[in-house]
Amino acid sequence: MNSLWNHVLLCLIGIFSLCCCRKTPPAIVPEAERDTLKLSGFVIEDIDKQADINSMNMQELRLFHSFLYARHGVLFEESDLRDYWRKQTQWYDTLSKRRAICDSSLVFTSLLTDEEQQLAALTSDLMEIRKQRNYLIYSNESAPNVENMVNLFQYAGIVDQSLMDELAVNGFALIPDSAEQLFQLYQENDAMGLPCFVTSDLMLQVMHLYHAYMLKTVEEERLSPLLADLCFSLYQSSLAQARKEKKDEKAAMNNAVFFAVPYSLVTGKNLKISGEYQIKMEEELAYIEQQTDHLSSLLPQTSVFPYSAFQSKGHYAHSIVLRRYYRALKWLQTASFNMNSEPQRRQAVMLALLLQSDAKALQSYLRLLQIMSILQGPPACASISQIHACLRNERVKTLDAAMTVKTQSAVKRFLSNAGAVCFIPPPFSLDDEILHQLTDQTPDAVRAFPKALDVFAAFGAQPAFERLFHHFQEDTLWVEYPARMTKMMDMVRNTTPDHHSLFHKWMDILLTLPNRPAETKARQRKEMTTASASWAKWKHDLLIYGVIPDHPDPLPVRSVGSEALPEAITPGYVEPNPLFWEKTLEWMQFTENFLKKYQLMTPDLQLRTDCLQRYLTRLKNVTDKQAGNELPDRSDYRFMTHIGDSIGQLSLSMVTPPVDRWQWTAGPDRCAAITETLYRRTTPPIASLFAQAGNVTCLYAIVEIDGFLYLTRGAAFDYLEFVAP
């Protein structure tokens, strides 16, 4: 009997073994009547059930079980089984279509003979027993049993032994890929019928694109006009103040030039000022255009003014409007008032009094400061608004009263003895401060450069902290490192809620990755890679813009003539980190509330905001079902199957210029990968720390769906740090 079974097994099971998967269809041809169907000359009753089924692995059991139904033309719901029998036989496609159309209400178990039903029941029982060994323990860590995977046949020619070995140890494996965007791997999955593993990386990438699109929209359509109107208003008020305050005409006229420069930068229109002040304005505009550091006649400095910083970078180089906006904002953030200089202090006080007398300008100015604080982060220095607040508290309304020793002392206390004051303060970069403080500035130091891990450890990521101290042993490389790290952790903890910006909320998302509980060391390293890559991409501020609608229409199902067949189900899995999905939705809600509160939302931006929120909500709901051992429904699986197209179209709707296909996008926007400068060292060894982030990596992960172990496929970020001159 065993020799008979070996012959049957060669015809039945051998075609789907990963090592000997056959390209040509077996000689199984349905006869006119179902009950005369034979397998290579042997009827099904000849099989030795007990002896031979026990030797099958989980995949073979599942496929053999499906064969009992396939030979009767059952149209499987599972896409992998449906596609398998279509490819491996000459008869299944025609027979299943005919059965689905003619007998759509038939109970399929009624098709089986008594002997077949016994064999199906026996196979099912054996699979239930095998499910008890879905997971094994290696080195005190649980790992999926690769022998129990049920869809390995889908990866014939893709999975090799080295990948199998990594899957056996970690439950997942990462393979570098040549795709330009993460969603493209999910489109490949859809085309090949492979189950998707929806990663946090995929959604972080589209959220980066959304953040870029949001900034571009807000800056072009809202902030650029606001900045132009504010500068023109204060320019006119300064001219009026100069006419009124003859004793301080020079200071008022310098203020007029101070605002004429950014107005000309943001609008491209030059204002006319009399005499020497016209020359000052034209000189400043010329230096900004040349982008060469130079002494300024308008802004007396002990060193040259950094005009080279006005070179448009990143997304600000993408359009004339954004380029102009960037330069105007850069002027207002860089051209500071030296509070240790009596003329400049007087000029700053005059400007504060000017705001006190112009309620509309003051309202626009304070609104702009609040917007910048949320978009860019807390201020790095004092602002004119603080001088205004101090004068208001002291009930000072005239310049003479403002310049008294008593008032000036109050201003100094209010500014915490700040040496410089800006009209719009540049942002304080918390992560840059961490990188700077955790670097040994001693010439030729051992710890001459920081790591991204420093930032995450300071923000409270315990795995990052442990890796720095246990793996890299940073405390032995630099004796001051532990105390510096403690100081940085305290600084992060003491950051007030008022200073929470979009960046702080984004870090809340990223911290859910390495801090995810009950993870293996390998999974923690992968999550740390994802978090580091996303952080570097945020710093790089990769921006991609454009226009296309929402979720794509459903893909067409296969049909015969005018009769449509039921769509097959491809199982899928969402990365099981409920806190991550919760924090992404919090970030989206925080962003939407901010945009609406400050009247920055546009119809197009609202459309994309709603779309991304729906996607994230859907994925969170799926993870909740997974956590509760509840199977996702058909619509959930369908969403995961086509998520590559969904994310692809949403991404395409945020690129400029608008195109119909991703391969038509041009320049750096086309690729998710970026290279960002994290730290510049100015003492020997003089070099820079760079991060290369966003290169697409193919992730293979074994997951349990309805008790079966499936090999799924997804996309992840890669991350690399290196030092170069």
Side-chain angles (χ1 to χ4, degrees), residues 58 69 75 111 134 154 185 200 215 236-237 252 278 305 396 520 563 607 612 640 687:
M58 194 66 141
Y69 294 90
L75 187 69
L111 297 173
N134 272 350
Q154 290 188 285
L185 261 67
S200 55
L215 282 180
Q236 289 184 314
S237 298
Q278 181 73 25
F305 186 76
V396 172
T520 64
E563 300 289 344
L607 177 68
L612 185 51
M640 287 185 275

Side-chain angles (χ1 to χ4, degrees), residues 375-442:
L375 286 179
Q376 297 185 334
C381 67
S383 71
I384 296 295
S385 68
Q386 291 171 272
I387 299 178
H388 166 265
C390 180
L391 297 180
R392 183 187 60 195
N393 291 344
E394 297 292 322
R395 298 184 178 179
V396 172
K397 297 183 179 180
T398 66
L399 184 58
D400 289 338
M403 296 305 294
T404 63
V405 174
K406 178 184 176 182
T407 305
Q408 287 300 300
S409 297
V411 169
K412 283 187 177 181
R413 289 194 304 272
F414 204 83
L415 298 178
S416 301
N417 292 313
V421 172
C422 291
F423 184 71
I424 299 178
F428 171 69
S429 177
L430 187 57
D431 51 347
D432 282 346
E433 180 68 10
I434 293 169
L435 294 176
H436 176 74
Q437 291 294 332
L438 294 178
T439 302
D440 187 352
Q441 303 297 330
T442 306

Side-chain angles (χ1 to χ4, degrees), residues 30 38 60 113 248 271 297 320 424 465 510 572-573 662 701 709:
K38 297 181 180 181
E60 292 168 345
T113 65
D248 292 289
L271 296 171
S297 59
I320 294 176
I424 299 178
F465 186 90
L510 300 187
Y573 202 80
W662 192 263
L709 293 185

Side-chain angles (χ1 to χ4, degrees), residues 69-95:
Y69 294 90
R71 66 194 298 270
H72 294 285
V74 170
L75 187 69
F76 296 108
E77 279 195 335
E78 301 93 330
S79 63
D80 61 334
L81 295 179
R82 190 184 296 187
D83 291 342
Y84 178 82
W85 290 109
R86 280 176 171 162
K87 292 175 182 177
Q88 297 298 337
T89 69
Q90 295 175 330
W91 47 265
Y92 177 74
D93 193 37
T94 301
L95 187 61

Side-chain angles (χ1 to χ4, degrees), residues 22 39 83 113 119 123 135 144-145 151 172 182 293 316 320 405 502 521 535 543 561 600 604 619 659 674 680 694 712:
R22 288 176 53 175
L39 174 65
D83 291 342
T113 65
L119 189 54
T123 308
Y135 294 91
N145 182 1
N151 68 323
F172 73 95
L182 278 71
D293 294 348
Y316 296 108
I320 294 176
V405 174
L502 290 177
K521 296 297 183 182
W535 167 73
L543 299 181
L600 303 174
D604 285 343
L619 293 172
V659 291
I674 58 97
R680 297 184 188 275
T712 60

Side-chain angles (χ1 to χ4, degrees), residues 45 57 93 99 130 207 239 251 277 324 334 336 350 362 382-384 414 416 435 456 476 502 535 539 601:
E45 286 84 357
N57 63 29
D93 193 37
R99 177 72 71 190
R130 296 283 177 84
M207 288 178 69
L239 290 179
Y277 301 103
R324 289 174 173 172
T334 310
S336 60
M350 288 183 69
L362 177 62
S383 71
I384 296 295
F414 204 83
S416 301
L435 294 176
F456 285 93
T476 65
L502 290 177
W535 167 73
K539 291 185 71 64
M601 186 65 82

Side-chain angles (χ1 to χ4, degrees), residues 337-377:
F337 298 90
N338 183 359
M339 298 304 288
N340 296 319
S341 164
E342 197 279 336
Q344 289 199 40
R345 185 166 66 249
R346 196 174 189 89
Q347 191 177 334
V349 169
M350 288 183 69
L351 181 52
L353 289 171
L354 200 65
L355 289 167
Q356 197 175 83
S357 62
D358 189 340
K360 183 177 180 182
L362 177 62
Q363 183 182 17
S364 296
Y365 173 51
L366 295 178
R367 177 170 174 254
L368 185 60
L369 288 181
Q370 291 167 344
I371 291 170
M372 289 300 160
S373 179
I374 296 174
L375 286 179
Q376 297 185 334

